[in-house]
Amino acid sequence: MSGAWTNDTIAPRPAPPPRRRQARGERALGYAVITLLGLLGLGIIAFLVDSWDTDFFARYAPKYLSGLWVTVQLVGLSVVLGAMLSLPVALGRMSPNRAAGWAAFAYVYFFRGTPLLAQIFLVYYGAGVFVDELRQAGLWTFFREPWNCAVFTFTLNTAAYQAEILRGAIESVPKGQWEAAQSLGLRRWTTFRKIILPQALIVALRPYGNEIILMIKGSAIVAIITVLDLMGETRRAFSRTYDFQTYIWAALFYLAIVEALRLVWDRLERRLTRHIRRDD
């Protein structure tokens, strides 16, 4: 038949060739960014080598290390206390009880929605407004110390973030796990503690690492309330020397801490998830 369809008439058109110009442009942009970062790094190294001062390091290196240890203590203690507080907050967020749910929501909403700097000012300077009340409650000896105010504020702040991380991880565990445990006659708390929570912690491992890194970088603000952490010692060194390299060395110290934590966390994650990884 003359009007019959042939394979030539119904064959789809070939796909257009890929846009090589766009790919080349993106590649060139990537190379340019890498080159600029490399030049910036070389410039910083050259500046540090050129401005090397043996007397400066002999005088301030121990203070940098002392401030670094204060930073590690501050972040470590706050993260541990925040983890302990985050569990009841996360359970409150998932609770069918409206009062508990709204209280947990208000707590998380406030500490995640306001700057950490504002929170630490509210605690440190706000405590001075209620001196008489705090003395009557026996709490003034605690809140008059900048270190205690920093730990208290950081604990409340990271607990809010950790609670949301934990809540999301718990809710990601399939409901079939609960049903299977119930069919075996396990109690709800036993199911949560031995089955649900271990799986949720593995899911939350990476977000927990990110939260700790954010805490390390955010801890620099405690220098404003006279805590001599790494940034506090850096500010004191700069006020006495007016040498710009004091802040460069502080940045390198923070970078070293974050990179060390990242490597340790990656290794920990690979070890804890080795039973669920697939070979490529």
Side-chain angles (χ1 to χ4, degrees), residues 160-191:
Y161 284 93
Q162 291 188 48
E164 287 299 284
I165 293 172
L166 187 58
R167 181 179 69 89
I170 292 173
E171 292 180 346
S172 70
V173 178
K175 293 183 178 180
Q177 301 281 353
W178 291 96
E179 297 171 355
Q182 185 178 7
S183 66
L184 294 175
L186 296 178
R187 296 181 178 179
R188 188 170 181 82
W189 173 246
T190 303
T191 302

Short mmCIF file of all heavy atoms in Angstrom, two decimals, residues 160-191:
data_model
loop_
_atom_site.label_atom_id
_atom_site.label_comp_id
_atom_site.label_asym_id
_atom_site.label_seq_id
_atom_site.Cartn_x
_atom_site.Cartn_y
_atom_site.Cartn_z
N ALA A 160 19.42 21.41 70.92
CA ALA A 160 18.30 21.65 70.00
C ALA A 160 18.60 21.06 68.63
O ALA A 160 17.75 20.40 68.01
CB ALA A 160 18.03 23.15 69.89
N TYR A 161 19.81 21.27 68.14
CA TYR A 161 20.18 20.72 66.83
C TYR A 161 20.29 19.20 66.88
O TYR A 161 19.85 18.50 65.96
CB TYR A 161 21.51 21.33 66.37
CG TYR A 161 21.38 22.74 65.86
CD1 TYR A 161 21.57 23.83 66.71
CD2 TYR A 161 21.05 23.00 64.54
CE1 TYR A 161 21.44 25.13 66.25
CE2 TYR A 161 20.93 24.29 64.06
CZ TYR A 161 21.12 25.36 64.93
OH TYR A 161 20.99 26.65 64.46
N GLN A 162 20.89 18.68 67.94
CA GLN A 162 21.02 17.23 68.05
C GLN A 162 19.66 16.56 68.20
O GLN A 162 19.46 15.43 67.73
CB GLN A 162 21.92 16.88 69.23
CG GLN A 162 23.37 17.24 69.04
CD GLN A 162 24.26 16.70 70.14
OE1 GLN A 162 24.18 15.54 70.51
NE2 GLN A 162 25.11 17.55 70.69
N ALA A 163 18.72 17.23 68.85
CA ALA A 163 17.38 16.66 68.99
C ALA A 163 16.71 16.48 67.63
O ALA A 163 16.08 15.45 67.37
CB ALA A 163 16.53 17.56 69.89
N GLU A 164 16.87 17.47 66.76
CA GLU A 164 16.28 17.35 65.42
C GLU A 164 17.00 16.29 64.59
O GLU A 164 16.37 15.57 63.81
CB GLU A 164 16.34 18.70 64.71
CG GLU A 164 15.34 19.71 65.24
CD GLU A 164 13.91 19.22 65.08
OE1 GLU A 164 13.38 19.27 63.95
OE2 GLU A 164 13.32 18.77 66.08
N ILE A 165 18.31 16.20 64.75
CA ILE A 165 19.06 15.14 64.06
C ILE A 165 18.58 13.77 64.51
O ILE A 165 18.32 12.87 63.70
CB ILE A 165 20.57 15.30 64.32
CG1 ILE A 165 21.09 16.58 63.65
CG2 ILE A 165 21.33 14.09 63.81
CD1 ILE A 165 22.53 16.91 64.02
N LEU A 166 18.44 13.61 65.82
CA LEU A 166 18.03 12.33 66.37
C LEU A 166 16.59 12.00 66.00
O LEU A 166 16.26 10.85 65.68
CB LEU A 166 18.20 12.34 67.88
CG LEU A 166 17.97 11.02 68.63
CD1 LEU A 166 18.90 9.94 68.10
CD2 LEU A 166 18.17 11.21 70.12
N ARG A 167 15.73 13.01 66.03
CA ARG A 167 14.33 12.77 65.66
C ARG A 167 14.21 12.30 64.21
O ARG A 167 13.49 11.35 63.91
CB ARG A 167 13.52 14.05 65.86
CG ARG A 167 12.03 13.90 65.52
CD ARG A 167 11.29 15.20 65.77
NE ARG A 167 11.68 16.23 64.82
CZ ARG A 167 11.10 16.42 63.63
NH1 ARG A 167 10.10 15.63 63.25
NH2 ARG A 167 11.50 17.39 62.83
N GLY A 168 14.92 12.97 63.32
CA GLY A 168 14.88 12.55 61.92
C GLY A 168 15.43 11.16 61.72
O GLY A 168 14.91 10.38 60.92
N ALA A 169 16.49 10.82 62.46
CA ALA A 169 17.08 9.49 62.33
C ALA A 169 16.14 8.41 62.86
O ALA A 169 16.01 7.33 62.27
CB ALA A 169 18.41 9.44 63.08
N ILE A 170 15.48 8.69 63.98
CA ILE A 170 14.53 7.72 64.54
C ILE A 170 13.36 7.49 63.60
O ILE A 170 12.93 6.36 63.36
CB ILE A 170 14.04 8.19 65.93
CG1 ILE A 170 15.20 8.15 66.93
CG2 ILE A 170 12.89 7.32 66.42
CD1 ILE A 170 14.85 8.75 68.28
N GLU A 171 12.85 8.57 63.03
CA GLU A 171 11.71 8.45 62.13
C GLU A 171 12.08 7.79 60.81
O GLU A 171 11.20 7.33 60.08
CB GLU A 171 11.10 9.83 61.88
CG GLU A 171 10.43 10.43 63.11
CD GLU A 171 9.82 11.79 62.85
OE1 GLU A 171 10.16 12.38 61.79
OE2 GLU A 171 9.03 12.26 63.68
N SER A 172 13.38 7.75 60.49
CA SER A 172 13.81 7.10 59.25
C SER A 172 13.85 5.57 59.38
O SER A 172 13.91 4.88 58.36
CB SER A 172 15.19 7.61 58.84
OG SER A 172 16.19 7.14 59.74
N VAL A 173 13.84 5.07 60.61
CA VAL A 173 13.83 3.61 60.80
C VAL A 173 12.45 3.08 60.40
O VAL A 173 11.43 3.62 60.84
CB VAL A 173 14.14 3.25 62.27
CG1 VAL A 173 14.07 1.75 62.48
CG2 VAL A 173 15.51 3.79 62.66
N PRO A 174 12.39 2.07 59.56
CA PRO A 174 11.08 1.56 59.09
C PRO A 174 10.18 1.15 60.25
O PRO A 174 10.63 0.59 61.26
CB PRO A 174 11.46 0.36 58.21
CG PRO A 174 12.87 0.62 57.80
CD PRO A 174 13.51 1.35 58.93
N LYS A 175 8.89 1.41 60.10
CA LYS A 175 7.93 1.05 61.13
C LYS A 175 7.82 -0.46 61.30
O LYS A 175 7.36 -0.94 62.34
CB LYS A 175 6.56 1.63 60.80
CG LYS A 175 6.52 3.16 60.85
CD LYS A 175 5.12 3.68 60.58
CE LYS A 175 5.08 5.20 60.68
NZ LYS A 175 3.73 5.75 60.42
N GLY A 176 8.24 -1.19 60.28
CA GLY A 176 8.21 -2.64 60.40
C GLY A 176 9.09 -3.16 61.52
O GLY A 176 8.84 -4.25 62.06
N GLN A 177 10.12 -2.38 61.89
CA GLN A 177 10.98 -2.78 63.01
C GLN A 177 10.17 -2.78 64.31
O GLN A 177 10.32 -3.68 65.14
CB GLN A 177 12.16 -1.81 63.12
CG GLN A 177 13.03 -1.74 61.88
CD GLN A 177 14.00 -2.91 61.79
OE1 GLN A 177 14.12 -3.71 62.71
NE2 GLN A 177 14.69 -3.01 60.67
N TRP A 178 9.35 -1.75 64.49
CA TRP A 178 8.49 -1.71 65.68
C TRP A 178 7.50 -2.87 65.68
O TRP A 178 7.29 -3.53 66.71
CB TRP A 178 7.72 -0.39 65.71
CG TRP A 178 8.54 0.83 65.97
CD1 TRP A 178 9.05 1.68 65.04
CD2 TRP A 178 8.94 1.35 67.25
NE1 TRP A 178 9.74 2.70 65.65
CE2 TRP A 178 9.69 2.52 67.01
CE3 TRP A 178 8.73 0.94 68.56
CZ2 TRP A 178 10.23 3.29 68.03
CZ3 TRP A 178 9.27 1.69 69.59
CH2 TRP A 178 10.02 2.85 69.32
N GLU A 179 6.90 -3.12 64.54
CA GLU A 179 5.88 -4.17 64.44
C GLU A 179 6.49 -5.55 64.67
O GLU A 179 5.89 -6.40 65.34
CB GLU A 179 5.21 -4.10 63.08
CG GLU A 179 4.45 -2.80 62.85
CD GLU A 179 3.97 -2.66 61.42
OE1 GLU A 179 4.32 -3.54 60.59
OE2 GLU A 179 3.26 -1.68 61.11
N ALA A 180 7.70 -5.76 64.13
CA ALA A 180 8.35 -7.06 64.33
C ALA A 180 8.69 -7.27 65.80
O ALA A 180 8.51 -8.37 66.35
CB ALA A 180 9.61 -7.14 63.48
N ALA A 181 9.18 -6.23 66.46
CA ALA A 181 9.50 -6.34 67.89
C ALA A 181 8.25 -6.57 68.72
O ALA A 181 8.26 -7.34 69.69
CB ALA A 181 10.23 -5.09 68.35
N GLN A 182 7.16 -5.91 68.34
CA GLN A 182 5.91 -6.08 69.07
C GLN A 182 5.38 -7.51 68.92
O GLN A 182 4.84 -8.09 69.86
CB GLN A 182 4.87 -5.08 68.57
CG GLN A 182 3.57 -5.09 69.35
CD GLN A 182 2.59 -4.05 68.85
OE1 GLN A 182 2.83 -3.40 67.83
NE2 GLN A 182 1.48 -3.90 69.56
N SER A 183 5.56 -8.07 67.72
CA SER A 183 5.10 -9.45 67.51
C SER A 183 5.91 -10.45 68.32
O SER A 183 5.43 -11.55 68.62
CB SER A 183 5.20 -9.80 66.02
OG SER A 183 6.56 -9.82 65.59
N LEU A 184 7.14 -10.07 68.69
CA LEU A 184 7.97 -10.94 69.52
C LEU A 184 7.73 -10.72 71.00
O LEU A 184 8.36 -11.38 71.84
CB LEU A 184 9.45 -10.70 69.21
CG LEU A 184 9.92 -11.09 67.80
CD1 LEU A 184 11.37 -10.67 67.59
CD2 LEU A 184 9.76 -12.59 67.59
N GLY A 185 6.84 -9.81 71.33
CA GLY A 185 6.50 -9.57 72.73
C GLY A 185 7.44 -8.63 73.45
O GLY A 185 7.43 -8.58 74.69
N LEU A 186 8.26 -7.87 72.73
CA LEU A 186 9.18 -6.94 73.37
C LEU A 186 8.44 -5.68 73.80
O LEU A 186 7.53 -5.21 73.11
CB LEU A 186 10.31 -6.57 72.41
CG LEU A 186 11.25 -7.70 71.97
CD1 LEU A 186 12.29 -7.18 70.99
CD2 LEU A 186 11.92 -8.34 73.17
N ARG A 187 8.87 -5.15 74.92
CA ARG A 187 8.28 -3.90 75.39
C ARG A 187 8.73 -2.75 74.51
O ARG A 187 9.77 -2.81 73.85
CB ARG A 187 8.67 -3.65 76.84
CG ARG A 187 8.13 -4.69 77.82
CD ARG A 187 8.54 -4.35 79.23
NE ARG A 187 8.00 -5.31 80.19
CZ ARG A 187 8.21 -5.26 81.50
NH1 ARG A 187 8.97 -4.29 82.01
NH2 ARG A 187 7.68 -6.17 82.30
N ARG A 188 7.95 -1.67 74.54
CA ARG A 188 8.24 -0.55 73.65
C ARG A 188 9.58 0.10 73.99
O ARG A 188 10.35 0.44 73.09
CB ARG A 188 7.11 0.49 73.75
CG ARG A 188 7.23 1.60 72.71
CD ARG A 188 5.99 2.46 72.68
NE ARG A 188 6.09 3.50 71.67
CZ ARG A 188 5.84 3.32 70.39
NH1 ARG A 188 5.46 2.13 69.95
NH2 ARG A 188 5.96 4.32 69.53
N TRP A 189 9.88 0.27 75.27
CA TRP A 189 11.16 0.89 75.64
C TRP A 189 12.33 -0.02 75.28
O TRP A 189 13.37 0.45 74.83
CB TRP A 189 11.17 1.21 77.13
CG TRP A 189 12.50 1.69 77.63
CD1 TRP A 189 13.33 1.06 78.49
CD2 TRP A 189 13.17 2.90 77.25
NE1 TRP A 189 14.47 1.79 78.70
CE2 TRP A 189 14.39 2.94 77.95
CE3 TRP A 189 12.84 3.96 76.39
CZ2 TRP A 189 15.29 3.99 77.82
CZ3 TRP A 189 13.75 5.00 76.27
CH2 TRP A 189 14.95 5.01 76.97
N THR A 190 12.16 -1.34 75.46
CA THR A 190 13.21 -2.28 75.08
C THR A 190 13.43 -2.25 73.57
O THR A 190 14.57 -2.29 73.09
CB THR A 190 12.84 -3.70 75.53
OG1 THR A 190 12.62 -3.70 76.95
CG2 THR A 190 13.94 -4.68 75.19
N THR A 191 12.34 -2.17 72.83
CA THR A 191 12.45 -2.07 71.37
C THR A 191 13.20 -0.82 70.96
O THR A 191 14.09 -0.85 70.09
CB THR A 191 11.05 -2.07 70.74
OG1 THR A 191 10.37 -3.26 71.11
CG2 THR A 191 11.14 -1.98 69.23
#
